[in-house]
Amino acid sequence: FIDFADTVAVEELAFLEEGLKMNRTIAAEGRNFGLGAQLESLLEQGLLADSPATAAKRLTAAGSFARMSGISLPVMTATGSGNQGITLFLTIDAVAQKLNIAHERELRAIALAALVNIFGKSYIGALSAICACGVASGLGASIGICYLLGGGEKQMLGAARNILGAISGMVCDGAKEGCAHKVELSAGLAVDAAMLAMAGRDVSEQDGILAEDLGGLFSNLGYLVNTGMAKTNEAIVEIMTRK
């Protein structure tokens, strides 16, 4: 995946440019109301730090909330999900803008993140009991951020472990406005996980369900979801239908 991101002709990534513009547009609209506007207000009041992580949270939350509120604007998906696309594209975009990263480098980082996202979803499935915005798109975005910052495979795997060591159990309980809060959480954690990994701090591979390599991480996660959480979807639907 890293080799591909390094060597693919940038012209072949033009569709990512289109998706980036699409997701930026809905995020700009989302800053005017709901969660997006509330985060902007908190920043203006000095209650949120003006950091790369906050920038990612603001951008992704605005886009996701606008989408889940029914705004009639298109979104570029990731593995078929609009919220995953918003998480993947805009988390990386926020960091790239905040740190003045070259645009070509950003597109290559998004390409890398998208490949990791697809790889992760191949283990956990198209739909699952856990929120893929965190463990697939957020994780992919975190690896993309390491790429932006010049990190290598060691740092990227560290970022992946930082995420799976934190929110591997965040459940998916349907598409709704609350998803924007999960997207916001995933985006902020993706930035923090990457920054910590770049600084040499990551969760040990011996912790819990973690593993040494990317395939092992996703294999363990897939087993947790598909075997350990087999009845979780049924329980979520039962709770929702009782309301």
Side-chain angles (χ1 to χ4, degrees), residues 53-133:
T54 298
K57 292 168 69 173
R58 288 163 56 211
L59 200 58
T60 58
S64 177
F65 191 88
R67 176 177 179 265
M68 305 315 292
S69 298
I71 292 293
S72 296
L73 288 169
V75 169
M76 177 63 87
T77 66
T79 50
S81 163
N83 279 334
Q84 288 173 49
I86 286 169
T87 304
L88 192 147
F89 278 80
L90 296 185
T91 301
I92 293 172
D93 190 42
V95 176
Q97 290 188 60
K98 195 71 176 172
L99 301 181
N100 296 313
I101 305 293
H103 189 57
E104 180 179 329
R105 185 76 178 177
E106 178 181 357
L107 289 180
R108 294 184 183 278
I110 292 173
L112 172 60
L115 289 171
V116 172
N117 181 67
I118 292 168
F119 186 58
K121 290 298 292 290
S122 74
Y123 283 90
I124 65 175
L127 291 172
S128 75
I130 61 170
C131 177
C133 289

Side-chain angles (χ1 to χ4, degrees), residues 89-220:
F89 278 80
L90 296 185
T91 301
I92 293 172
D93 190 42
V95 176
Q97 290 188 60
K98 195 71 176 172
L99 301 181
N100 296 313
I101 305 293
H103 189 57
E104 180 179 329
R105 185 76 178 177
E106 178 181 357
L107 289 180
R108 294 184 183 278
I110 292 173
L112 172 60
L115 289 171
V116 172
N117 181 67
I118 292 168
F119 186 58
K121 290 298 292 290
S122 74
Y123 283 90
I124 65 175
L127 291 172
S128 75
I130 61 170
C131 177
C133 289
V135 299
S137 303
L139 187 151
S142 191
I143 287 176
I145 292 166
C146 288
Y147 185 89
L148 281 180
L149 301 176
E153 186 176 347
K154 181 178 185 297
Q155 289 77 25
M156 293 174 190
L157 288 170
R161 283 194 290 269
N162 285 343
I163 287 185
L164 291 184
I167 58 165
S168 55
M170 185 166 69
V171 298
C172 173
D173 55 343
K176 66 242 177 283
E177 288 184 353
C179 291
H181 291 268
K182 295 182 182 181
V183 167
E184 176 201 355
L185 174 65
S186 299
L189 179 59
V191 179
D192 289 343
M195 297 294 186
L196 285 168
M198 291 297 294
R201 171 63 194 173
D202 58 82
V203 182
S204 168
E205 63 205 44
Q206 299 300 321
D207 261 40
I209 65 166
L210 302 186
E212 184 178 2
D213 59 20
L214 194 63
L217 285 167
F218 282 136
S219 178
N220 291 349

Side-chain angles (χ1 to χ4, degrees), residues 222-232:
Y223 184 79
L224 171 68
V225 172
N226 297 313
T227 301
M229 301 178 73
K231 290 190 174 295
T232 301

